[in-house]
Each structure stands twice: as structure tokens, then as C-alpha cells.
Amino acid sequence: MQTNPTHTSLVAIGDSFTEGMSDLLPDGTYRGWADLLAGRMAARTPGFRYANLAVRGKLIAQIVEEQVGPAAAMQPDVITLVGGLNDTLRPKCDMGRVRALLEEAVERLTPACKHLVLMRSPGRQGPVLERFRPRMEELFACVDDLAARHGALVVDLYGAPSLGDPRAWDVDRLHLTDEGHRRVAEAVWQTLGYEPEDPEWRTPMPPTPPPNWTARRVEDARFTRQYLLPWIGRRLTGRSSGDGLSPKRPDLLPYKGPAA
């Protein structure tokens, strides 16, 4: 990989992780690692263009159907693809189909850009990760294999201790905080060959005293009421948090900061 390269355009596709939840801006929109990365790249290259087609809740089939074609047609320098994790979190998941769809996406995107970036997604330490770890690791093994066969880059967020720390995750326990997104942006930045701005992004956060028993139970009850039960309800009814939503940056245009 070239050191301190010049890239003129970036297209990001995927689900809520790439849309930027839960890195909330004052105007109610989400920023996230892809916007942060685009801002850094734009600061080095006048006229830098950026599109973000990711929409929360999307499964890999929806990403392939709705986002891969438009991303490939834009012919950018860099495309980032993160998908399949929502599938692994479903009660029933056909991992063979997930692998096949991910391979289709990679085969269509590789010729359309100079660099295709894939990721081993981060996992919050806790019982949810342990329950779904076998599926997640099967997905990541597929990512590694596809990257090796098609010359894609892989960002290993799953192996970063800092991103397993619950403090890097929002209260919904599904999405990264602004600090988590900052570290992901740094990881992708370095993978693309730029000089590190934070060489220690993988380093675990400094220890802090754990919350007491009462505080943990209060937080667990809040999490269950506000996030877990609605999430289960959507799974049972076949709904998605992204139903009816459009991408926040659907067109490959010069980057001018957070979306309005």
C-alpha cells in the first residue's frame, strides 16, 4: 500500500455502522466514522467527493440489491463495504447465503474502484457477543478469504481491545459512541496508507471504577425497555429500523462537512 496516497473520492455502503449511529450531531443527524474519514481525506485533496449510501438495519441482501450497483456506477477511488452482521444477529441466519451475497458484492465492487475496503466489525464484550460469536467469526473468515482472492483491504476492528470495551458503545449496546467512531476512522485511515494520527487507536481505554450493582441494574432495565424490547419486536414482525429511510449522502459530491 502506498504511503500517504492521494484519493479523490470515497463511497461508503452498509448498515447503521457505516451510517454513523450513534455519533449524533446537534442537528439530530448522524456523523460516524465514514464522515470523519471523508473529512480527513478532503482536507488533503481539494475537490474530494464523498457518498454514503448506508442505511440502518439493512441486511446483506438489501445492501447488494440497493447499494452495490449505485456504488459501482460512481467509480470512486475507494469503496468501503461493511455488511452481513445484521444477518448474523437474526434468530435464523443462512450463513451460506450471506457468504454468497458478500462474494457477489465484492466481485461487483472490486473492478469499480482502486481500493475496496472490507472490515472485521467490532464486537462489544458481553453475553450478546458470546452468543453470536461463532456466526460473526464465520462471517469474518469469509471477509478474509474474499480479500485475499480479490485484493481488497481488511480493517481488523474485531481484534482491537479498545473497541471491545463497553465504554466505546452507546447505551443501546449496538452502536459505537463518537469515540468509537473516531477510532474506526483512524483504523481505516491507516489501512489506506495514510500516516497515523493516533498510533494507539487499538490501545485499551484507561481503567475506571466499575458501576455499582444498583447502577448496573438500573442501566439494564433502561436498556431492556428502550432498546432490547423494540429490537425484538421488529425481529418478530419483520420490520427494520431503516424502513422508509433514504441514504444521507446518496450522490458522489464534493465533501462539505456533515450532512444538513
Side-chain angles (χ1 to χ4, degrees), residues 12-249:
I13 66 176
D15 51 34
S16 59
F17 173 71
T18 301
E19 182 185 347
M21 297 174 71
S22 290
D23 186 7
L24 190 64
L25 294 169
D27 65 358
T29 62
Y30 292 106
R31 181 177 55 180
W33 66 265
D35 285 17
L36 292 169
L37 177 66
R40 287 194 190 184
M41 297 169 79
R44 297 175 63 96
T45 308
F48 180 85
R49 297 175 299 149
Y50 170 52
N52 189 324
L53 309 183
V55 176
R56 69 197 72 171
K58 294 299 183 181
L59 302 173
I60 187 62
Q62 295 170 306
I63 294 172
V64 171
E65 179 181 355
E66 301 168 11
Q67 300 177 27
V68 167
M74 293 176 186
Q75 298 281 304
D77 283 353
V78 179
I79 297 177
T80 65
L81 164 63
V82 188
L85 198 61
N86 281 335
D87 297 79
T88 70
L89 299 177
R90 295 293 176 109
K92 295 182 180 180
C93 174
D94 183 347
M95 287 303 298
R97 184 167 183 266
V98 170
R99 291 194 303 271
L101 287 166
L102 192 58
E103 180 161 16
E104 177 186 343
V106 170
E107 289 178 345
R108 292 170 60 186
L109 293 171
T110 300
C113 61
K114 293 181 180 178
H115 299 296
L116 176 62
V117 178
L118 308 176
M119 298 188 201
R120 294 163 56 91
S121 303
R124 181 186 188 276
Q125 296 299 325
V128 174
L129 174 63
E130 293 309 314
R131 177 180 179 184
F132 294 103
R133 187 187 294 275
R135 286 183 185 173
M136 292 172 62
E137 294 188 345
E138 184 177 349
L139 175 67
F140 300 154
C142 177
V143 166
D144 290 342
D145 175 65
L146 289 172
R149 289 194 284 117
H150 295 275
L153 302 174
V154 177
V155 184
D156 184 14
L157 306 173
Y158 181 68
S162 62
L163 293 176
D165 191 316
R167 291 172 295 175
W169 296 77
D170 193 39
V171 292
D172 66 0
R173 305 182 185 181
L174 286 173
H175 302 106
L176 293 170
T177 61
D178 56 351
E179 173 61 15
H181 280 284
R182 184 196 68 78
R183 291 181 184 239
V184 173
E186 177 67 31
V188 184
W189 174 260
Q190 292 184 27
T191 299
L192 286 169
Y194 293 103
E195 184 176 350
E197 295 188 9
D198 176 13
E200 304 300 324
W201 71 268
R202 291 176 173 270
T203 302
M205 299 180 185
T208 57
N212 61 40
W213 186 91
T214 300
R216 293 199 304 272
R217 298 294 79 77
V218 169
E219 182 57 33
D220 287 345
R222 177 191 175 195
F223 163 72
T224 300
R225 181 180 65 257
Q226 290 187 220
Y227 301 105
L228 181 59
L229 292 178
W231 183 83
I232 292 173
R234 290 194 298 271
R235 298 292 80 74
L236 293 176
T237 58
R239 293 179 292 115
S240 167
S241 57
D243 288 347
L245 296 182
S246 300
K248 63 180 182 180
R249 294 179 180 270

